[in-house]
Amino acid sequence: MCYEVVGGIVGPMTSSTASRTPAGPPTATPDRTPATASPARTLDWRLRFGILSLIWGFSFLLIKVGTEGYAPFQVTFGRLVFGTAVLAATMAVKRERLPRGARTWAHLAVAGLLLNALPFSLFAYAELTIPSTLAGICNATSPLWGMALSLVALSEDRPTRLRVAGLGLGFLGVLTVLGAWQGFAGLDATGTAMALLASLSYPVGWIYVRRTLAGSGHSHLSLTGAQLMLATVQLAVVTPLFTDAPDGVPVVPLLAVAALGALGTGVAVLLQYGLVAEVGPTTAQMVTYFIPVIATAAGVAVLGESLTWSTPVGALIVLAGAALTQGARGRGPRSRAGAAGRRTRTARSAAVAAAAVRPGVRDRPADSGDRVTVSQPDTGTCEATTRRDADTCTA
């Protein structure tokens, strides 16, 4: 849900590892395709985007069904077991190794708590008392929390009027969903607070990962698999302490937990990983805006949950606010720096091309010391001392 692991690791890592890792295959940068040709895919990315939206949209329904037969911690533990199994099998097929280094594993343990163990458990507990439709809508507030936190925690994010307006609009939508004008009548405050806290946990985890794991040099699949494994270990310790073994093994809730883990955590992460690599994290993360719509439709159609006018209206307001905050990012200093960087690269490329045919330059030795510096906001600066390196630098 809400790009779970991949949004926390793959998105920020795509830009950082591309600039800091000296060896290995090139990785994708935001809104850019990878430098190397990707293998042929059997499904168009739009179809995989739709499948991912359905999987994560139905996750809240599966959580609700799972908690009908098992304790919330048991649902979360089962989910992580099945999800980790899918990623472990994928890593075995691709011959990926787990990351090394005690510091990396310590950071992954914190990331596993913030991005998996804690929010998964909070959603499971929340759905004991609130409908799955409300849980899905609360999940859509993650981009709003993320924007609010990034303005404080990340120096490259600057507050703008559009961002502030988007935040205000989004949280107005939350109040609409909750029926604030009615005094939140008929609303379970504890369950709703848990769902909102789970949604807050995601961006906290993303910021932590961005500060600690970006540029580690390990593959995204390796980091993701290790993170899920550590989250599974955490729940393996916690679950026996706070729950009793179930009296029986209800089949339908068990199947729901298996589907939640294998599809909603395992397969979904792989789908999102592929989408990020192919179309960039910005486009791939747009799946967030489809999740509450599908979650609401599934809850009403399959579980028969009631729906008042304020729920869909408030959800639309939340999504509009989230979209406004994300869209506003493209108009800030970072975007202007990106445009300047593109102009710089174009100018440098033209200068290098002109130097290649300028009289007398062609005969210069390759190590003549000519230096070209290209400013690239996403990957830092690129320096070259030869015309050939400069062409590579500006490519």
Side-chain angles (χ1 to χ4, degrees):
M1 290 172 286
C2 202
Y3 31 97
E4 297 173 347
V5 183
V6 181
I9 288 185
V10 175
M13 294 268 313
T14 49
S15 59
S16 299
T17 54
S19 59
R20 302 181 189 177
T21 306
T27 54
T29 55
D31 296 323
R32 292 183 62 184
T33 55
T36 55
S38 59
R41 301 182 183 276
T42 57
L43 294 177
D44 181 80
W45 75 266
R46 297 172 186 81
L47 182 57
R48 285 180 282 123
F49 184 96
I51 294 173
L52 180 61
S53 301
L54 287 173
I55 290 175
W56 273 340
F58 272 86
S59 292
F60 298 95
L61 180 149
L62 295 174
I63 293 174
K64 173 68 76 172
V65 175
T67 54
E68 292 177 355
Y70 301 98
F73 274 137
Q74 294 169 349
V75 171
T76 303
F77 177 61
R79 173 183 188 172
L80 288 171
V81 167
F82 285 106
T84 302
V86 171
L87 263 69
T90 305
M91 291 178 63
V93 171
K94 294 187 176 183
R95 298 182 180 180
E96 289 273 0
R97 294 183 178 181
L98 291 172
R100 298 178 181 179
R103 183 182 296 273
T104 298
W105 280 88
H107 290 318
L108 285 172
V110 177
L113 173 65
L114 294 174
L115 291 169
N116 303 113
L118 179 60
F120 291 0
S121 300
L122 286 172
F123 272 123
Y125 270 101
E127 291 198 38
L128 291 176
T129 55
I130 67 173
S132 64
T133 55
L134 180 56
I137 294 172
C138 288
N139 182 77
T141 64
S142 283
L144 301 175
W145 295 118
M147 178 60 68
L149 290 173
S150 68
L151 294 177
V152 177
L154 300 178
S155 59
E156 63 266 31
D157 283 326
R158 295 290 186 267
T160 65
R161 291 180 180 179
L162 282 177
R163 293 186 187 185
V164 173
L167 288 172
L169 183 63
F171 288 112
L172 176 62
V174 173
L175 294 177
T176 303
V177 171
L178 302 181
W181 66 91
Q182 298 175 341
F184 306 105
L187 182 71
D188 184 82
T190 302
T192 304
M194 285 184 176
L196 291 173
L197 184 60
S199 303
L200 173 61
S201 181
Y202 288 126
V204 172
W206 303 334
I207 292 174
Y208 178 84
V209 166
R210 186 170 175 178
R211 287 181 173 273
T212 60
L213 289 172
S216 66
H218 300 289
S219 74
H220 307 141
L221 180 60
S222 175
L223 290 171
T224 303
Q227 178 182 313
L228 278 179
M229 184 180 71
L230 289 171
T232 304
V233 172
Q234 293 168 2
L235 263 295
V237 174
V238 171
T239 301
L241 298 177
F242 293 94
T243 63
D244 297 325
D247 297 332
V249 184
V251 176
V252 174
L254 179 60
L255 292 176
V257 172
L260 180 64
L263 296 176
T265 300
V267 173
V269 164
L270 296 176
L271 285 173
Q272 180 78 339
Y273 173 81
L275 287 171
V276 168
E278 185 172 352
V279 300
T282 301
T283 300
Q285 289 171 2
M286 290 296 291
V287 70
T288 306
Y289 304 120
F290 293 86
I291 293 175
V293 178
I294 297 172
T296 300
V300 173
V302 179
L303 299 179
E305 294 177 347
S306 60
L307 188 67
T308 60
W309 69 268
S310 60
T311 301
V313 171
L316 288 175
I317 297 175
V318 169
L319 295 178
L324 187 59
T325 59
Q326 297 302 302
R329 294 173 67 90
R331 302 181 179 89
R334 192 172 179 85
S335 177
R336 291 193 293 270
R342 286 191 293 272
R343 290 192 296 269
T344 303
R345 291 195 295 270
T346 302
R348 295 296 187 184
S349 297
V352 172
V357 298
R358 189 178 304 156
V361 175
R362 182 178 299 176
D363 297 328
R364 289 183 186 177
D367 58 350
S368 61
D370 292 341
R371 181 172 296 274
V372 175
T373 302
V374 177
S375 174
Q376 302 180 85
D378 291 330
T379 57
T381 60
C382 177
E383 295 186 346
T385 57
T386 67
R387 291 192 302 276
R388 181 177 180 181
D389 289 341
D391 288 334
T392 303
C393 182
T394 57

